[in-house]
Amino acid sequence: MNLRSHLLQRLLRLDPPPTRDLVVQRDLRVPMADGIELLADRWVPRGREDDGLPVALIRTPYGRRGVQGGGSVRLLAERGFQVVVQSARGTFGSGGDFEPFRRERADGLSTLEWVVKQPWCAGSVVLVGASYMGFAQWAVADSLPPEVKAMIPMVTESALTQEFLRADGFSLETPFEWGVMVAGQERPFAVLRQIAQASRNRRALATLPLSGADLAALGHRSDYLQSIFAHDTDGHGSGSGSGSGVDERDDQLDHRHRVAGVSVPVSSIGGWHDIFLPGQLRDFRALQEAGRPARLTVGPWGHLSPHGTPIQEAVEFGLAHARGEAPPERAPVRLFVMSGAGEKGGEWRDFASWPPVGYVPRRFPLGAGGVLGGDEPGERAAAHAHDTYRYDPADPTPAVGGVRMGRGGGRVANGELEARADVLTYTTPELTEDVEVVGEVGAEIWFRSGLAYADVFVRVCDVDARGRSYNVCDGLVSVTDADELRLVRVSLWPTAYRFRRGHRIRVQVSSGAFPRFARNTGTGEPHGTATVLLAADQEVHHGGECPSAVVLPVRE
């Protein structure tokens, strides 16, 4: 075993593998329905090339010999699988053009047809992979051949881009940085170039109009990024198609309607700070409602940090099903209930469903003087009042921690953010007992802006005994007709968190989290072409007839 694999194995805290001696067959040619050939590598324990070991299939746009070949592929092949890792169309030697997300169903079905016909495939295939590789699984989920025995999608969902392209909350940082990364990933010294690229990306994200951001970062136009910037210009900004009514264009991007049709057991692995968590939980609920065999694991992770759990699950769950055995028994839902930083600040708990029973919505009203949770139901409502702040898109409220793809995400101190004049905070008194929150989180904010177009960003934080504020979950929604007083409902990221006795719960309200979300220019112009930035005074109303509140699912 090479040094990189040894260090990775120690980092992931995996047991020693049965074998470390592998054979790799490079550049196998896999024909697609249209005649294009995609390249694949096959990893198999030496001496077992013809033993018909279960196949773990990974389809990736990120290459077969970098992180994939030296990391998870090797770890799986050392533990009982033969692994077929294939480069997506138009990437790393595979034929055709890379059109992100658009060819995964057709190419995935052709690849499965090829795999099950190979003499070394004895009729057991497991689909494995994270992020894009998980999306590629959902693209074929309702048309699997009988040889496929299980799916293990990780930090992913069946409509991967839809959360980013919401008309009521346009994500910017993740699709932009991903688009820049894949545009340059096959250049020499790509990893080193990506480090140097970070500063150019930051400058490019501040470019107006945004349609020129790829030129600023890459020096050339990217078809993928241009399609992102044009999304709310061409009438496809709602991202709301979710059934048989989706058109051919969306049918390649949105596979939500396939989830209930999956015929094999599914084990989903997500993270509380992952960019795809809401969609992943939606997919799991669809499986449960359809009566499909499924289980869910959510840990205290971001998109790039699920540690060794995916490999362990692929071996314990996937390999067992591939061999016709029952995997180790456990509850359908296993959640890490956070209460601090990382895996030292919480505990793993088992539940029967998502969202779990026994947690009821509890309103924490926003009140005068920055108080949270002051009025209990049944008591006389406080007088109607409001707080104000000024939002200036030329100096947008920054994104700090939270749900971000790479560095800078997760749980971080929020002191500097909360000191800004464009961020309001509302805080409970010290808690006299633990408050455990597990499930979907929402906010109801009575809001008015000086302009017709504005965003409302809400974040829940945990304030420790020393007064340090750390983010738990958040969400943003874009509002039209915002110059009229109205109730704005904000869906925050789901969570599982225990606020400890002696701590306080805090809610932030602001109008941005840039560049995670595109800044609201205040003009209503499409994001890709807007050039004018208008500042506005924003009002958050509370009490009386405008009872703004955050709603937390609290354990009974």
Side-chain angles (χ1 to χ4, degrees):
M1 181 173 60
N2 61 31
L3 177 61
R4 178 171 58 183
S5 182
H6 175 71
L7 292 175
L8 184 62
Q9 181 173 292
R10 291 190 61 186
L11 177 66
L12 300 182
R13 295 170 290 189
L14 297 173
D15 293 332
T19 181
R20 293 170 177 166
D21 190 7
L22 304 177
V23 174
V24 185
Q25 299 174 347
R26 304 284 190 188
D27 298 336
L28 303 176
R29 295 185 173 274
V30 185
M32 298 295 103
D34 61 354
I36 293 292
E37 291 185 326
L38 308 189
L39 299 186
D41 294 344
R42 177 186 174 223
W43 294 62
V44 62
R46 187 178 300 277
R48 305 201 63 183
E49 293 92 333
D50 300 320
D51 286 359
L53 293 175
V55 176
L57 175 61
I58 300 173
R59 302 191 60 254
T60 175
Y62 305 125
R64 290 160 284 138
R65 301 173 193 178
V67 175
Q68 289 294 326
S72 60
V73 171
R74 170 176 284 277
L75 295 174
L76 290 172
E78 292 173 341
R79 287 165 171 78
F81 284 106
Q82 55 178 323
V83 184
V84 174
V85 55
Q86 181 190 63
S87 291
R89 178 180 292 249
T91 68
F92 294 91
S94 287
D97 297 323
F98 182 46
E99 299 179 75
F101 310 106
R102 295 191 180 280
R103 296 289 309 187
E104 303 317 320
R105 179 167 175 82
D107 289 351
L109 293 175
S110 293
T111 300
L112 283 169
E113 182 181 3
W114 177 85
V115 167
V116 301
K117 290 180 179 178
Q118 299 310 299
W120 38 260
C121 178
S124 278
V125 180
V126 176
L127 307 186
V128 183
S131 194
Y132 195 108
M133 291 84 84
F135 172 83
Q137 297 176 52
W138 286 122
V140 298
D142 62 345
S143 301
L144 298 173
E147 289 83 0
V148 176
K149 305 302 182 184
M151 288 173 46
I152 308 176
M154 314 167 192
V155 289
T156 192
E157 60 141 305
S158 59
L160 209 61
T161 61
Q162 300 304 302
E163 173 65 29
F164 302 138
L165 304 181
R166 289 190 296 118
D168 63 348
F170 189 89
S171 295
L172 174 61
E173 182 179 58
T174 293
F176 179 81
E177 291 188 346
W178 185 83
V180 169
M181 181 197 72
V182 296
Q185 65 179 346
E186 297 190 53
R187 298 178 63 189
F189 310 108
V191 174
L192 295 177
R193 289 177 182 274
Q194 288 172 18
I195 296 173
Q197 183 72 42
S199 60
R200 289 195 291 272
N201 287 350
R202 287 193 295 270
R203 291 193 298 269
L205 287 168
T207 298
L208 290 177
L210 271 176
S211 57
D214 54 348
L215 194 64
L218 294 168
H220 61 83
R221 296 286 186 183
S222 160
D223 290 342
Y224 171 74
L225 290 177
Q226 288 302 310
S227 72
I228 292 294
F229 298 140
H231 192 78
D232 63 345
T233 306
D234 62 11
H236 290 90
S238 66
S240 59
S242 60
S244 59
V246 293
D247 61 27
E248 183 179 355
R249 177 182 185 273
D250 287 334
D251 194 47
Q252 299 182 66
L253 301 176
D254 186 350
H255 300 288
R256 284 176 283 185
H257 57 295
R258 307 190 193 284
V259 173
V262 68
S263 57
V264 301
V266 178
S267 179
S268 296
I269 301 170
W272 294 122
H273 299 294
D274 179 46
I275 52 181
F276 300 123
L277 179 63
Q280 187 159 29
L281 295 176
R282 179 204 64 233
D283 290 341
F284 177 75
R285 290 189 69 175
L287 290 170
Q288 283 204 315
E289 291 169 0
R292 306 302 185 192
R295 69 190 202 184
L296 170 72
T297 305
V298 186
W301 311 311
H303 191 63
L304 303 178
S305 59
H307 303 300
T309 299
I311 302 300
Q312 293 169 350
E313 192 70 358
V315 173
E316 294 180 1
F317 181 87
L319 199 56
H321 281 293
R323 291 171 173 169
E325 304 168 355
E329 187 174 348
R330 50 155 275 192
V333 176
R334 178 164 291 173
L335 308 176
F336 190 85
V337 181
M338 302 176 289
S339 189
E343 293 193 54
K344 295 182 179 179
E347 63 179 3
W348 287 98
R349 299 260 296 282
D350 286 348
F351 301 90
S353 63
W354 175 268
V357 298
Y359 293 82
V360 297
R362 176 177 165 188
R363 293 175 59 83
F364 288 77
L366 280 55
V371 173
L372 181 68
D375 288 321
E376 295 297 330
E379 295 185 4
R380 183 178 62 85
H384 179 186
H386 70 268
D387 300 312
T388 63
Y389 61 95
R390 186 168 182 81
Y391 173 74
D392 185 356
D395 179 25
T397 316
V400 176
V403 180
R404 306 175 79 176
M405 184 169 67
R407 288 187 176 184
R411 179 181 184 268
V412 301
N414 277 236
E416 290 187 15
L417 177 63
E418 293 172 353
R420 288 179 59 104
D422 57 0
V423 178
L424 301 178
T425 61
Y426 302 86
T427 311
T428 66
E430 286 189 7
L431 301 175
T432 58
E433 58 183 14
D434 289 358
V435 175
E436 185 173 288
V437 174
V438 181
E440 309 286 345
V441 179
E444 300 172 355
I445 306 298
W446 285 89
F447 179 83
R448 179 163 56 200
S449 173
L451 297 170
Y453 301 92
D455 287 349
V456 178
F457 179 80
V458 178
R459 166 170 281 184
V460 174
C461 294
D462 180 9
V463 182
D464 67 17
R466 297 174 60 182
R468 297 172 301 188
S469 177
Y470 294 93
N471 54 289
V472 175
C473 60
D474 53 45
L476 176 143
V477 66
S478 296
V479 185
T480 57
D481 298 326
D483 51 349
E484 300 177 3
L485 180 61
R486 56 179 298 176
L487 175 61
V488 177
R489 300 184 187 276
V490 185
S491 295
L492 280 64
W493 240 239
T495 195
Y497 198 93
R498 182 185 298 112
F499 296 89
R500 295 196 178 276
R501 181 170 60 90
H503 286 212
R504 292 174 289 161
I505 301 173
R506 175 170 293 167
V507 170
Q508 301 173 12
V509 182
S510 63
S511 286
F514 180 79
R516 175 180 160 193
F517 294 97
R519 54 188 161 182
N520 196 310
T521 63
T523 66
E525 295 178 90
H527 292 291
T529 57
T531 57
V532 176
L533 302 176
L534 300 180
D537 292 324
Q538 322 284 52
E539 300 174 356
V540 174
H541 292 246
H542 46 76
E545 297 179 353
C546 299
S548 293
V550 66
V551 183
L552 304 179
V554 175
R555 186 178 183 181
E556 292 181 291

